[in-house]
Amino acid sequence: MDMVKFFHMNGGIGDASYSGLQRMGIMKTKGVIEQAVSDLRRSNVNFPKTLVMADLGCSSGPNTLLVGSMVINAVTKTSFEMGLKSPEVQINLNDLPTNDFNTIFIALQELQGNTTNGKIRDVPHQPSCYFTGVPGSFFGRLFPMKSLNFVHSSYGLQWLSQLPELEEINKGNIYLSSTSPESVSRAYLEQFQKDFLGFLRCRSEVLMAGGRMVLTLAGRTTDDPRVEESNRLWGPFAMALQDMVFEFTPSPTEIMNLVKMEGSFTIDHLEIFDVNWEAWKRMKNGNDASELKETDDGVAKAIRAGIEPLVANHFGEAILDDVFMRYGKCITDRRSNKENQALVSITVSLTRKM
């Protein structure tokens, strides 16, 4: 399958758009993002007149501009504390060409309707902000040499650039499980290593010396990719659909080893945390039984937003409603059995070596 041609998040702002789970993960990393931007600003009094950032795998919908706003606020606050004028901010929004960039541009147009000369009204010391859409795969070069100060990516890097060649069939699974052959697990790890190293090399070329990068991706706490912890989302989906896997969730050790192997970055901060989808819904509405059922529906919709194009291309659009309805029911059944309902996530903050 040509992943660049077919893989994208669902666009728009409807029920099947990419939103709740990703937003919760982004909000948990807000402090890491703000600290990285603040450190970047403080590291150089003679900072360039424009801070140039890239949000890789930006998707489209309610969360697309969330990280950009965090960066703008952080650089504005830090500059004010330093008694300096804030640099202008250029935000490059990147995703695959099939992403719904039209929705992003419409949202930007609405935002610009509340601005004057690129500045948001009634916000003191707000720098001028400029946005650009950059279609293309982040596993390749997207920007000129030494052109970026800050790079961010949220829940994109666990997706592989392509399916690895397998010596054996991962029979009966759509994910790496305890029954997956060791050769299958090894093939996915090798593909992830190749992709992640390529990602780091491309970013090392386009980040200025001392530039920062914050990456968040689905992960696991152990070094065994076949443990149940890695499959809290895909286990239930396997009950509704068989024979598809495109994701590899790494451990912190694997991330650290690859960063060290590539050699262009130092790790400033690395943490692992859970995004609990029951807590996500309770945070919004409460915790009675009907609202927990809504949680399961919301998780199914969030995952549908992420993989619907892949399922449709592989099996056809006719099965979509049925398979994701079954998926929501499987999640409900697992919750009834008191299984842990959380997505393990890893965030790493890096600095480009001088």
Side-chain angles (χ1 to χ4, degrees):
M1 178 182 291
D2 186 343
M3 296 289 282
V4 173
K5 182 177 180 180
F6 291 107
F7 185 43
H8 59 88
M9 303 298 111
N10 276 356
I13 57 174
D15 286 343
S17 64
Y18 206 43
S19 55
L21 289 176
Q22 188 198 35
R23 183 181 185 86
M24 196 169 182
I26 291 174
M27 295 308 296
K28 284 200 170 190
T29 63
K30 182 174 183 285
V32 178
I33 294 169
E34 291 176 340
Q35 187 63 54
V37 174
S38 179
D39 290 344
L40 174 65
R41 180 67 180 98
R42 294 181 187 280
S43 66
N44 185 1
V45 175
N46 298 316
F47 197 81
K49 293 183 178 180
T50 303
L51 185 154
V52 184
M53 73 160 285
D55 195 2
L56 306 180
C58 66
S59 185
S60 63
N63 300 325
T64 300
L65 305 179
L66 182 59
V67 174
S69 67
M70 292 178 182
V71 171
I72 293 168
N73 290 337
V75 73
T76 301
K77 178 182 177 182
T78 304
S79 298
F80 180 72
E81 291 172 350
M82 296 173 69
L84 298 172
K85 182 180 179 181
S86 178
E88 296 183 332
V89 180
Q90 178 180 329
I91 300 177
N92 297 287
L93 299 169
N94 155 259
D95 215 310
L96 294 174
T98 46
N99 185 56
D100 186 5
F101 282 97
N102 282 339
T103 295
I104 300 175
F105 297 146
I106 291 171
L108 284 174
Q109 190 174 36
E110 293 174 354
L111 176 66
Q112 290 168 348
N114 295 318
T115 67
T116 302
N117 296 326
K119 298 181 180 181
I120 300 176
R121 294 173 183 164
D122 303 323
V123 179
H125 316 294
Q126 184 75 36
S128 297
C129 308
Y130 305 92
F131 296 85
T132 303
V134 183
S137 171
F138 56 50
F139 289 117
R141 274 282 300 275
L142 294 166
F143 304 97
M145 293 281 288
K146 311 300 181 188
S147 61
L148 300 180
N149 305 105
F150 182 72
V151 170
H152 172 267
S153 180
S154 179
Y155 295 111
L157 276 166
Q158 72 273 2
W159 295 104
L160 303 178
S161 65
Q162 63 183 45
L163 294 176
E165 295 184 6
L166 302 179
E167 298 175 4
E168 302 175 74
I169 296 174
N170 192 22
K171 187 176 181 180
N173 295 308
I174 65 165
Y175 57 88
L176 297 179
S177 74
S178 59
T179 62
S180 297
E182 184 177 348
S183 65
V184 172
S185 176
R186 184 173 61 252
Y188 274 88
L189 173 59
E190 290 174 352
Q191 183 64 51
F192 174 77
Q193 291 172 332
K194 178 181 178 181
D195 286 344
F196 195 80
L197 284 172
F199 177 90
L200 291 178
R201 290 183 186 122
C202 289
R203 303 298 83 77
S204 71
E205 293 174 356
V206 300
L207 268 169
M208 298 178 187
R212 262 60 171 190
M213 182 162 63
V214 175
L215 311 174
T216 300
L217 59 161
R220 49 186 157 83
T221 59
T222 70
D223 288 332
D224 184 355
R226 295 178 293 178
V227 296
E228 181 65 23
E229 172 194 70
S230 302
N231 308 320
R232 292 170 184 161
L233 291 176
W234 304 122
F237 195 64
M239 300 175 186
L241 183 66
Q242 296 291 324
D243 191 35
M244 182 181 67
V245 63
F246 297 101
E247 187 182 71
F248 182 86
T249 53
S251 70
T253 300
E254 290 165 352
I255 294 292
M256 288 188 290
N257 288 342
L258 290 172
V259 172
K260 183 178 180 180
M261 183 187 302
E262 196 279 330
S264 299
F265 296 89
T266 58
I267 294 179
D268 301 316
H269 178 84
L270 189 148
E271 67 177 276
I272 190 165
F273 60 92
D274 284 349
V275 176
N276 187 294
W277 51 76
E278 289 190 4
W280 159 45
K281 199 67 179 187
R282 283 198 297 267
M283 178 179 65
K284 295 172 63 178
N285 295 326
N287 61 358
D288 65 29
S290 64
E291 285 156 349
L292 290 178
K293 175 60 168 62
E294 288 182 29
T295 302
D296 303 331
D297 293 340
V299 172
K301 290 171 181 175
I303 299 307
R304 178 172 183 169
I307 65 173
E308 178 180 299
L310 297 179
V311 179
N313 180 69
H314 198 70
F315 297 101
E317 295 184 358
I319 71 165
L320 292 175
D321 289 342
D322 184 48
V323 74
F324 285 103
M325 179 187 68
R326 293 171 184 267
Y327 179 43
K329 184 178 183 302
C330 291
I331 293 174
T332 301
D333 292 341
R334 284 203 165 193
R335 179 173 51 76
S336 299
N337 294 330
K338 308 299 182 183
E339 294 189 33
N340 191 351
Q341 302 295 298
L343 170 66
V344 177
S345 302
I346 298 172
T347 289
V348 58
S349 180
L350 308 102
T351 297
R352 176 70 167 89
K353 292 180 179 178
M354 304 298 287

